[in-house]
Amino acid sequence: MTTYDKFIIDILLKMGDRGISLRNLVVNVYNRSCTFFFSPKYDDVYKYVQQYLLKNSRTPSSLIERMDTRGYYRLNKQSKVAEQLLLDYSQEENQEE
């Protein structure tokens, strides 16, 4: 799993059932990726996020689902992978407290 993948999943988890637009997701991933010494090209991040969402939202049991509003995505709670991710993140939050 790449760093961008982790950023995408983390943002989708935080957005919950509301989902997020592709544009806003790309901006968030881009901002998290920028450091003092490295700034990726925005177009490269956009292409990666777009391809990731398309690849992971194809079937009803995919990790990510498209919402009724065009261009909006959220985690698919019916997916087994999403259930595992939700459990992993909730355990991490409890350990931080």
Side-chain angles (χ1 to χ4, degrees), residues 9 12-19 56 59-67 73-87:
I9 292 171
L12 289 172
L13 274 171
K14 289 181 181 177
M15 294 310 297
D17 290 335
R18 294 181 305 177
N56 289 296
T59 65
S61 63
S62 295
L63 172 64
I64 299 168
E65 68 178 339
R66 294 179 184 154
M67 296 177 65
Y73 296 87
R74 67 179 169 202
L75 281 181
N76 183 2
K77 297 205 176 179
Q78 308 300 326
S79 169
K80 298 291 182 193
V81 177
E83 287 178 14
Q84 292 173 354
L85 286 173
L86 290 171
L87 288 174

Side-chain angles (χ1 to χ4, degrees), residues 15 21 34 37 47-48 58 63 72 74 76 78 82 85:
M15 294 310 297
S21 69
C34 290
F37 298 106
K47 288 176 188 175
Y48 184 87
R58 288 188 178 164
L63 172 64
Y72 276 74
R74 67 179 169 202
N76 183 2
Q78 308 300 326
L85 286 173

